[in-house]
Amino acid sequence: MGAFKQDLIEGIARLEINIDGEPVNKISREVKEELEAILPSLQADERVQAVVLISGKTDNFIAGADIDEFAALKTREKALALVRSGQELINQVAGLGKPVVAAIHGACLGGGLETALACSYRVATDHPKTILGLPEVQLGILPAAGGCQRLPRLVGARIALDIILAGKTLPAKAAYKRGIVDELVHPAILEDVAFKAARSLLDGRKRKRRKGGMAALLLDESTLGRRLVFSKARKKVLAKTGGHYPAPLAALEAVEHGLKYGLSAGLDSEAAHFAELAVGDVSKRLVQIFFASTALKKDSGIDGVAPSPRPVQNVTVVGAGFMGSAIAGVAVARAMADVRLKDNELEDVARGLQTVRSGLKKRLRRRRITKYDYRRLESLLSGGVDWAGFGRSELVIEAVYEDLAVKREVFSQVESHVGERCLLASNTSTIPIADIAEATQCPERVLGMHFFSPVEKMPLLEVIVTDKTAQWATVTAVAFGRKMGKTVIVVRDRPGFWVNRILAPYMNEAGRMLEEGVPVETLDRSMTKFGFPVGPITLLDEVGLDVAVKASTVLHEAYGDRFEPRDGLNRMTREGRLGRKSGRGFYKYEGGKKAGVDATAYDIISPKPSGKNSEEDIHRRLVFAMLNEAARALDEGIVRCPRDGDIGAIFGIGFPPFLGGPLRYLDHLGTAEVIATLNDLADKFGDRFSPAPILERLAKLREPIYPRS
Ligand code: 3HC
């Protein structure tokens, strides 16, 4: 069965793409071959004066080149052949000699947008599902089917680079504003408008260029202007990627080369870079992350046959503080749930509600939502100090003070006010869920929903299940978390769960190195150079030193010496140096902005210099502490599989994506090498570095952590 269907309507060919049995249209080898055969016949057929390219999928135009296909590439030669065939096909579209109108509804990404860019005109629907962009660099490659050439020619180098180098996808409206799309329409009239556009192109009526695109073009067309744009972009890329991601620089070169030497030379540059990047380690790992997060979107959260999740429309958040109101905000804005905020004092409730409303107003100001959306979402929100509305709740999320006795009290009270089908979740980051569940009559409906701060930005949610949590409860929490826009991993109820468990030894090691005299900036700079988004000391300040101390105390009690907390942090906390929230931690904060290291922190920590530590020493000690703990926690079944562990570390901590996550990185290094490094560290610094038993086992069997495929 072919992917394309053709019709001829009053001299205009309607070419519909719809790959049978696939959720999205993607440009695979077969699709290319089929289209290659169709295009010459459209060109030769005199009855065909113009073409409208449209998708037969409900909510997808074309999602790009087939990622499976390029992920399987082993040699540069094969990669080059693949990319060349794609370029030729798209050149065929551009050189058809008849107007081609792209009628876009749904995702139009990568090779999909490159196809649309080769068309004469683009009509897109103003619908939330319609997104346009070139996300290739997120997969470690570059737009190589002409995207680095045709986009800058259409909208100017500045706008094009902004999209290409960050791998951005834009809502249809933003794409229209930037001149990528020529017309924006309601989905109901997409096809009509596309046909009308084809006719007016035939009549020779010139198409208008969008204002934004025009201004950018004018600026970028001067040689000086263009040089400035490129040098700025290069600086930005280098600062952002730290040299770990080769794709954005390659894309920059392909754009620059094409603008200097012409389209054909630009395509050669795209192809050469693609061939190199597609078979490289970074791309392979980024593609693995794409497939892992895609797989997680469909994972029920339990192995085997899962019950259906229960519908959740009414949510109550208990605790209207910083986390509670943020959770309520996302539950309203993303999941569109009816949310009630409950706290003990009216002022706290009012402040919490105000925080949620401010968040919605910000989205309105940034035009992410319309006035109508704002009013509708705001009307979903309510709050109070009593138990009103609890009977209707299908989910209660507790976000009160981090204290077991307080939480137990809350859970036992909540349980007496909710219906028997209501799911009860705690947002604790440290307290064992089973200990909280003991205070309830039905521990099977209790679990943890551990959100990360800031809730609206952080993509991860840990759903923590105890031995007693029922399957319906797990799948319901996972499904609702996903509705809130989160990537959800299900983890076992052991202290620290997954993310904090593997983060703690890394942070502790940073604390030790501080005590040994390594300066704050050196530690932070070393780890951002390694690939973390922020250094450990900045992270401590952001998380809050009091929170870190609490977490490390719990972990120390549970796991012993390996997690021995640093007394320096305790002292800082006692001095009220809690980090950003108190305006002082290891750094100073002025007007909410980080303003350099606060040297008085050293007086509190009283470092005892113990020789020179090189950057490599810092990397080894901090990273291997995390890798070792990740292996141990995986062995204890804290995560269901290595995939979840890596996604949790990347999305929860910012573990460098180009390394694929701690468990992929362990596999890359090889257990034998990891064990040797850990033994060396153990000899120098103590038993906390003794290799996790799973590493010794795997080394003996010569097996990796990820099963060999
Ligand atoms: N290639 C292969 N498979 C793809 C794909 C692609 N380009 N895009 C989506 N899929 C698959 C997913 O893996 C998933 O497969 P599964 O059902 O077997 O697990 C299925 O399509 C549905 O995808 P999602 O679950 O992600 O569906 P959503 O509706 O949530 O999202 C989407 C749809 C926005 C299109 C999202 O899938 C996406 O972002 N896809 C990737 C887009 C992309 O990166 N395109 C660039 C490709 S590289 C390229 O074009 C190179 C060129 O320049 C030469």
Side-chain angles (χ1 to χ4, degrees), residues 422-439:
C422 180
L423 174 61
L424 307 180
S426 169
N427 175 52
T428 178
S429 54
T430 47
I431 300 173
I433 304 298
D435 292 354
I436 300 172
E438 265 178 17

Side-chain angles (χ1 to χ4, degrees), residues 31-212:
V31 168
K32 267 191 275 187
E33 280 167 10
E34 202 185 332
L35 189 56
E36 256 161 22
I38 292 172
L39 290 172
S41 70
L42 288 174
Q43 196 169 32
D45 191 338
E46 283 174 7
R47 293 169 309 159
V48 174
Q49 296 169 39
V51 180
V52 167
L53 176 64
I54 195 162
S55 163
K57 299 269 178 237
T58 330
D59 281 322
N60 176 266
F61 179 68
I62 301 172
D66 187 341
I67 300 173
D68 290 285
E69 227 166 56
F70 82 71
L73 290 168
K74 295 264 183 320
T75 66
R76 267 183 225 156
E77 293 68 31
K78 290 219 162 110
L80 195 60
L82 184 77
V83 70
R84 280 298 192 196
S85 69
Q87 290 185 340
E88 277 156 25
L89 178 73
I90 289 184
N91 282 348
Q92 251 180 294
V93 174
L96 196 71
K98 299 177 182 185
V100 185
V101 175
I104 303 162
H105 174 72
C108 171
L109 301 174
L113 179 58
E114 290 172 300
T115 308
L117 289 171
C119 295
S120 337
Y121 199 84
R122 286 154 295 280
V123 185
T125 62
D126 179 12
H127 186 277
K129 292 266 180 190
T130 303
I131 48 171
L132 298 98
L134 295 171
E136 282 88 339
V137 299
Q138 312 252 20
L139 299 170
I141 53 165
L142 77 166
C148 290
Q149 311 310 315
R150 294 191 174 91
L151 190 61
R153 280 168 179 74
L154 182 68
V155 298
R158 200 162 39 92
I159 294 178
L161 288 175
D162 180 48
I163 293 167
I164 293 169
L165 303 184
K168 266 189 195 164
T169 55
L170 305 170
K173 211 175 193 170
Y176 171 74
K177 266 197 197 147
R178 284 164 181 74
I180 299 168
V181 164
D182 298 288
E183 259 182 274
L184 210 54
V185 298
H186 190 274
I189 56 168
L190 174 67
E191 194 162 337
D192 281 353
V193 174
F195 271 79
K196 227 180 250 167
R199 273 186 214 104
S200 62
L201 284 167
L202 281 172
D203 293 346
R205 271 183 267 152
K206 239 181 133 210
R207 67 174 240 233
K208 292 174 286 177
R209 198 187 280 284
R210 295 294 120 218
K211 245 172 124 192

Side-chain angles (χ1 to χ4, degrees), residues 205-328:
R205 271 183 267 152
K206 239 181 133 210
R207 67 174 240 233
K208 292 174 286 177
R209 198 187 280 284
R210 295 294 120 218
K211 245 172 124 192
M214 200 62 182
L217 268 181
L218 284 177
L219 176 75
D220 298 351
E221 265 163 15
S222 76
T223 321
L224 192 68
R226 199 183 279 168
R227 211 178 291 153
L228 196 73
V229 167
F230 279 98
S231 89
K232 260 183 148 175
R234 184 164 284 111
K235 264 192 210 138
K236 200 167 153 191
V237 166
L238 286 173
K240 217 169 159 195
T241 61
H244 294 303
Y245 299 86
L249 273 187
L252 189 77
E253 272 174 36
V255 173
E256 197 168 18
H257 196 75
L259 288 177
K260 245 191 200 160
Y261 302 107
L263 189 117
S264 166
L267 289 174
D268 291 347
S269 171
E270 281 182 13
H273 280 303
F274 178 88
E276 191 79 33
L277 293 170
V279 295
D281 279 351
V282 174
S283 174
K284 299 273 177 238
R285 294 197 190 113
L286 295 180
V287 167
Q288 280 159 352
I289 295 169
F290 169 77
F291 283 124
S293 41
T294 305
L296 270 170
K297 285 190 210 166
K298 292 166 194 111
D299 194 324
S300 67
I302 60 164
D303 299 327
V305 182
S308 295
R310 293 188 183 168
V312 173
Q313 182 53 41
N314 294 287
V315 178
T316 303
V317 179
V318 181
F322 179 71
M323 280 307 271
S325 51
I327 294 168

Side-chain angles (χ1 to χ4, degrees), residues 364-665:
L364 176 65
R365 266 199 314 278
R366 293 187 176 168
R367 304 206 181 160
R368 301 258 158 79
I369 52 172
T370 62
K371 270 188 192 154
Y372 169 76
D373 292 333
Y374 175 81
R375 277 197 294 274
R376 195 168 49 112
L377 293 176
E378 201 208 8
S379 73
L380 296 173
L381 197 61
S382 63
V385 289
D386 55 18
W387 299 97
F390 272 71
R392 263 203 323 274
S393 293
E394 286 123 357
L395 166 65
V396 173
I397 304 175
E398 163 276 312
V400 302
Y401 185 66
E402 201 68 350
D403 179 280
L404 178 59
V406 176
K407 286 187 192 279
R408 286 169 73 116
E409 174 64 22
V410 167
F411 267 73
S412 105
Q413 285 196 1
V414 164
E415 197 178 35
S416 63
H417 290 93
V418 295
E420 55 186 36
R421 290 173 64 82
C422 180
L423 174 61
L424 307 180
S426 169
N427 175 52
T428 178
S429 54
T430 47
I431 300 173
I433 304 298
D435 292 354
I436 300 172
E438 265 178 17
T440 66
Q441 305 292 317
C442 308
E444 60 274 15
R445 57 161 151 175
V446 178
L447 45 66
M449 286 178 86
H450 180 209
F451 292 89
F452 294 79
S453 181
V455 181
E456 56 286 1
K457 285 209 183 113
M458 291 293 283
L460 189 71
L461 168 67
E462 284 182 312
V463 165
I464 301 122
V465 296
T466 72
D467 294 342
K468 293 192 176 142
T469 305
Q471 290 194 339
W472 72 261
T474 307
V475 298
T476 302
V478 169
F480 188 71
R482 210 168 278 144
K483 249 178 116 181
M484 290 173 81
K486 301 298 170 199
T487 297
V488 190
I489 59 169
V490 173
V491 302
R492 259 186 75 194
D493 182 30
R494 296 276 289 130
F497 315 130
W498 172 256
V499 170
N500 285 339
R501 164 91 180 263
I502 67 169
L503 182 63
Y506 165 96
M507 298 292 259
N508 265 354
E509 209 52 36
R512 281 179 192 271
M513 293 194 92
L514 264 181
E515 289 167 5
E516 291 166 24
V518 182
V520 169
E521 306 95 316
T522 308
L523 277 167
D524 274 353
R525 206 175 328 108
S526 297
M527 295 323 292
T528 51
K529 217 162 152 198
F530 184 83
F532 282 88
V534 293
I537 311 300
T538 297
L539 186 59
L540 262 177
D541 263 14
E542 294 295 332
V543 169
L545 271 65
D546 53 335
V547 176
V549 165
K550 198 165 254 178
S552 61
T553 310
V554 170
L555 287 163
H556 185 218
E557 273 166 20
Y559 303 112
D561 288 350
R562 222 165 60 237
F563 284 82
E564 192 190 341
R566 310 316 312 146
D567 200 41
L569 285 196
N570 275 328
R571 288 197 297 275
M572 288 281 284
T573 312
R574 281 198 295 272
E575 298 266 326
R577 305 270 293 251
L578 307 184
R580 180 188 284 278
K581 64 184 170 192
S582 68
R584 264 184 112 183
F586 286 97
Y587 288 91
K588 290 180 273 196
Y589 298 87
E590 282 162 18
K593 288 218 167 103
K594 205 163 141 194
V597 172
D598 187 335
T600 59
Y602 295 117
D603 300 337
I604 303 172
I605 297 284
S606 339
K608 312 234 169 350
S610 63
K612 199 167 161 39
N613 281 292
S614 69
E615 190 158 81
E616 202 197 329
D617 292 332
I618 300 173
H619 290 172
R620 271 171 29 120
R621 284 177 63 177
L622 268 63
V623 173
F624 277 80
M626 184 184 279
L627 297 184
N628 202 20
E629 201 56 38
R632 224 181 269 274
L634 175 76
D635 201 20
E636 287 170 23
I638 302 299
V639 279
R640 289 161 60 223
C641 55
R643 172 201 72 187
D644 290 9
D646 279 336
I647 290 292
I650 293 168
F651 289 6
I653 300 170
F655 190 92
F658 71 92
L659 296 175
L663 302 169
R664 284 263 182 221
Y665 188 43

